[in-house]
Amino acid sequence: MKKIIYGLIILLAVLHHDWWWWDDSDTLVFGFVPIGLAYHAGISLAAGFLWTLVVIYCWPTELDDVQPVSPQASNNGGHA
Amino acid sequence: MTQLIIILTYLGLLLILGVFSSRMFKGTSADYFLASRSIGPFLLLMSLFGTTMTAFALVGSTGATFKDGIGVYGKMASWAGIIHSACFFVVGIKLWSFGKRYGYTTQIQFFRDRFESNGLGLLLFPVLVGLVIPYLLIGVMGAGTTIEKLTGGALPNIFPAAGVGPAARAAGAIPYAYGSALICIVVMIYVFFGGVRGTAWANAFQTIVFIVLGVVTFVAISDKLGGMKEATAMVQKHNPDKLRRTVRENDTLTRYKGDVNVYEKRLAAWKAKPESNRGRAPKKPVKPHGIGHLKFLSYMFIPLSVGMFPHLFQHWLTAKSAKSFKLSVIAHPLLIMLVWVPCVLIGVWATSAMIDGKPIIPYGFSNPNAVLGKLVASSTGPVLGGLLTAGILAAIMSSLDSQFLCLGSIFTNDIVAHYVKDGALSDKQRLLVGRAFVVFIVIVTYLLALLRPGSVFTLGVWCFSGFASLFPLVIAALYWKRTTTAGAYACVISTAATWIYLFAQAGYGANRGYLFLDMMPVATIIAVSTVSLIVVSLITKPPSAATIDKFFKK
């Protein structure tokens, strides 16, 4: 499932490059949104949907219960 | 006057919210810088969205569309919807987990540990601070200018008209120096007292304000233009090139032709003046030219900057749990759409909107960023004008606050606390130093903003490119065990070198349309930084087993 969802995100990134609407100013969605803009608004909606799938099916559950390695580690990190 | 009252009421509400949130402050540095890692999903979403959306989301998107057409949404907004959430998911959650496990407060602490190098922290410090400062200046300067431009007539007895030409100030307008000082003081107060928790609450409030006001402005303007269908039909008739990403031979180009007419008149008037009194020659309008495929594609790299913004890193660390990220990952693209689509439509409509046969935005109008304000001023009343101003300031301040705080945090944790002897700096002292740095940075930023360095706006785009070009560093640090200290150095140094070279090639930002290999310069800088990181890592000594164990053990 994970592979399919990640694949869909890559597909979405590929579909972002919509050369087929590049030269179209005549087609309007709802009578006022130019198709090139409507398509990209659709890309944003699709992104929201795909990231929902990611959250449901690909969530790194092992990170849900991360705990500090020591009580002192609350704000004293980074002393390499 | 109405607009000024609305602005002051808005700022007052913000201060009340700041005081309210400071009552929850626990008095520790961990609470000040990280809200004790207690921020839940909704506040985290609002913080991240408010921080990533600057005033550009409202004003700049409208102006850029007015200039270049609807392609602006695809170049910036829909890429951001995909890439920002990817950064939250791939980078943000992982960094949050290391932050919680090992107690990091800043990016530099993480990189120092991961690459076992203090020196890398010292190298990153000026790079990150240097890239944030122009970004801060843009916010403060934008706020001062917005207030000055939109409060004309408010207090004519106190502030008379001043200056000439584009820099003129209308009678009664709050001067730039006072407006920007007011914004700095308001932001400083709630950041000083509330820390990152105050910032999160203020961002939530401000994000809701600018989203709602964007939608309200859209409805009011489309109504004044005779409805949405009529407004788009006017564009199809007069400037159809703005509705697509190409320009055809037989396009009407009404606005371009109108701009050329005005330019020729201005040029003739300029030539008629004596040479000693001419000033700058009028700027010739650029003929619409569409957008190339490679350029459009290369915009995908810009939103990667989110993965390396230090102020966003700090917000990530405030999350209560990994689960707090879920809402941000899902809703971020949808909120971007909600803000950008109305602004892009307004920008397109502004190219062709007319009243009694005259364009609402006059031909020869040379400041695209003022299009939204102009449209609101000429087609709606002062109340909406005031509300829109509050919305613009909300968008500016919701980024400014996080940036001020993160610079305070970097100075405190990566320089002062890092170099004093273990235990010598008590928690109270750390808090005091953090607050003192916030005040110091606000004052320095304000003083720099008074100089009005015009080039800083151009520098803004280059700052985003710089952060984006460091993205390979954070990805490699999180996912590639073989990344070495030398590889990390190579990545940062090659990014800086390529950035400086291309910046110089672009006339230090003067050539705003500069492309390298027909692409945005960021594409090349990322390619160079990635190759440097990989090649140098492969030929140098791998990191210690302890470090690999610390960061890669399941």
Side-chain angles (χ1 to χ4, degrees):
Chain A
M1 192 64 179
K2 276 186 182 179
K3 284 182 182 172
I4 294 172
I5 294 169
Y6 291 144
L8 286 173
I9 289 177
I10 293 169
L11 181 65
L12 185 70
V14 173
L15 291 175
H16 180 279
H17 201 86
D18 58 328
W19 67 87
W20 51 91
W21 300 128
W22 216 264
D23 190 38
D24 189 339
S25 54
D26 302 321
T27 312
L28 300 176
V29 177
F30 306 126
F32 71 96
V33 186
I35 187 70
L37 176 61
Y39 178 82
H40 278 277
I43 291 275
S44 299
L45 284 173
F49 174 70
L50 285 181
W51 286 117
T52 306
L53 294 183
V54 167
V55 162
I56 295 171
Y57 295 106
C58 314
W59 192 253
T61 46
E62 71 277 9
L63 299 182
D64 283 344
D65 54 358
V66 166
Q67 295 302 324
V69 287
S70 71
Q72 289 74 33
S74 60
N75 63 347
N76 287 322
H79 290 270
Chain B
M1 193 63 182
T2 310
Q3 294 187 340
L4 182 60
I5 291 170
I6 293 172
I7 293 169
L8 292 177
T9 307
Y10 174 70
L11 295 177
L13 286 173
L14 205 53
L15 282 179
I16 291 171
L17 190 71
V19 171
F20 164 74
S21 62
S22 72
R23 293 174 69 125
M24 289 186 275
F25 179 49
K26 295 173 182 169
T28 63
S29 65
D31 200 61
Y32 189 74
F33 293 123
L34 300 174
S36 302
R37 304 183 202 270
S38 65
I39 299 294
F42 179 73
L43 270 187
L44 188 67
L45 167 67
M46 292 288 111
S47 296
L48 296 179
F49 185 70
T51 304
T52 50
M53 292 293 120
T54 61
F56 189 85
L58 286 179
V59 183
S61 59
T62 309
T65 311
F66 176 80
K67 198 166 142 275
D68 296 329
I70 56 142
V72 166
Y73 187 93
K75 282 193 300 185
M76 298 178 177
S78 53
W79 266 135
I82 301 170
I83 305 283
H84 284 183
S85 286
C87 287
F88 300 162
F89 183 71
V90 176
V91 177
I93 301 169
K94 198 104 171 158
L95 284 176
W96 168 84
S97 72
F98 287 132
K100 180 156 186 183
R101 194 174 291 160
Y102 302 121
Y104 303 132
T105 309
T106 70
Q107 251 173 336
I108 289 175
Q109 289 176 335
F110 164 72
F111 285 120
R112 273 179 166 150
D113 253 9
R114 169 64 183 86
F115 293 113
E116 306 161 301
S117 166
N118 266 324
L120 185 66
L122 284 179
L123 178 65
L124 276 171
F125 174 75
V127 172
L128 296 177
V129 173
L131 288 173
V132 170
I133 282 179
Y135 198 177
L136 265 175
L137 276 174
I138 290 168
V140 174
M141 289 168 65
T145 307
T146 302
I147 291 177
E148 183 179 286
K149 294 287 178 204
L150 296 175
T151 53
L155 300 168
N157 296 327
I158 303 174
F159 302 118
V164 287
R169 190 181 77 229
I174 308 293
Y176 167 85
Y178 293 9
S180 43
L182 180 66
I183 294 302
C184 281
I185 290 168
V186 169
V187 174
M188 187 178 73
I189 288 174
Y190 73 75
V191 171
F192 184 91
F193 288 107
V196 78
R197 194 193 307 280
T199 304
W201 278 97
N203 278 1
F205 174 60
Q206 306 204 81
T207 303
I208 292 167
V209 166
F210 78 72
I211 289 175
V212 171
L213 291 179
V215 174
V216 169
T217 307
F218 172 73
V219 172
I221 288 179
S222 63
D223 190 45
K224 290 285 174 186
L225 298 180
M228 300 175 197
K229 290 183 180 176
E230 177 61 25
T232 303
M234 289 290 280
V235 186
Q236 279 186 316
K237 185 178 171 189
H238 292 289
N239 300 288
D241 58 298
K242 304 294 183 195
L243 300 174
R244 46 177 141 80
R245 281 158 278 173
T246 56
V247 179
R248 298 177 192 160
E249 280 294 316
N250 58 349
D251 272 342
T252 340
L253 301 181
T254 305
R255 175 151 294 273
Y256 171 67
K257 288 172 186 168
D259 286 346
V260 170
N261 272 339
V262 171
Y263 163 73
E264 284 169 354
K265 284 177 191 166
R266 285 178 182 164
L267 188 67
W270 179 80
K271 281 181 178 171
K273 284 183 183 174
E275 253 182 65
S276 57
N277 195 26
R278 275 183 180 171
R280 273 190 195 169
K283 210 172 169 185
K284 195 176 179 183
V286 179
K287 192 173 182 184
H289 46 69
I291 177 169
H293 286 275
L294 270 179
K295 183 181 177 186
F296 188 80
L297 186 65
S298 61
Y299 265 90
M300 73 177 291
F301 295 111
I302 300 276
L304 290 174
S305 52
V306 159
M308 275 302 290
F309 279 156
H311 45 291
L312 219 59
F313 178 91
Q314 188 160 6
H315 276 300
W316 286 338
L317 292 196
T318 65
K320 191 175 186 176
S321 69
K323 288 174 186 163
S324 299
F325 282 84
K326 287 184 176 178
L327 186 61
S328 298
V329 171
I330 294 169
H332 196 81
L334 307 178
L335 290 182
I336 290 177
M337 187 189 74
L338 197 61
V339 171
W340 275 72
V341 168
C343 290
V344 166
L345 280 170
I346 290 173
V348 172
W349 292 341
T351 60
S352 314
M354 297 197 190
I355 290 177
D356 301 329
K358 285 186 177 174
I360 294 181
I361 306 296
Y363 295 132
F365 193 78
S366 58
N367 182 3
N369 287 338
V371 165
L372 184 61
K374 177 85 179 161
L375 207 59
V376 168
S378 46
S379 56
T380 65
V383 173
L384 188 59
L387 290 173
L388 179 70
T389 312
I392 294 169
L393 294 178
I396 292 173
M397 289 190 289
S398 62
S399 303
L400 268 184
D401 51 13
S402 307
Q403 293 158 348
F404 281 137
L405 187 68
C406 107
L407 288 188
S409 177
I410 288 176
F411 275 113
T412 307
N413 295 296
D414 296 327
I415 301 296
V416 180
H418 188 77
Y419 286 104
V420 297
K421 284 180 184 172
D422 282 346
L425 196 68
S426 71
D427 193 64
K428 280 202 168 176
Q429 285 170 323
R430 190 187 282 242
L431 177 62
L432 187 72
V433 170
R435 282 178 155 164
F437 270 123
V438 167
V439 175
F440 171 74
I441 290 155
V442 173
I443 292 170
V444 169
T445 308
Y446 174 69
L447 293 176
L448 286 174
L450 286 183
L451 301 174
R452 295 204 197 200
S455 56
V456 81
F457 287 98
T458 314
L459 207 53
V461 181
W462 285 89
C463 288
F464 274 70
S465 300
F467 281 120
S469 304
L470 289 170
F471 185 75
L473 179 68
V474 71
I475 278 289
L478 292 171
Y479 292 98
W480 192 37
K481 293 178 189 177
R482 188 66 179 76
T483 319
T484 64
T485 311
Y489 272 102
C491 178
V492 178
I493 292 168
S494 64
T495 293
T498 319
W499 187 95
I500 290 167
Y501 172 74
L502 292 176
F503 187 52
Q505 291 293 305
Y508 297 96
N511 179 0
R512 293 186 180 208
Y514 178 74
L515 297 176
F516 188 75
L517 303 173
D518 285 335
M519 293 183 289
M520 296 292 285
V522 64
T524 305
I525 310 175
I526 284 195
V528 171
S529 71
T530 306
V531 170
S532 310
L533 184 143
I534 293 172
V535 170
V536 176
S537 290
L538 288 176
I539 58 174
T540 49
K541 193 182 156 197
S544 70
T547 293
I548 290 180
D549 220 35
K550 185 172 181 179
F551 292 97
F552 293 94
K553 195 178 173 187
K554 291 282 179 187

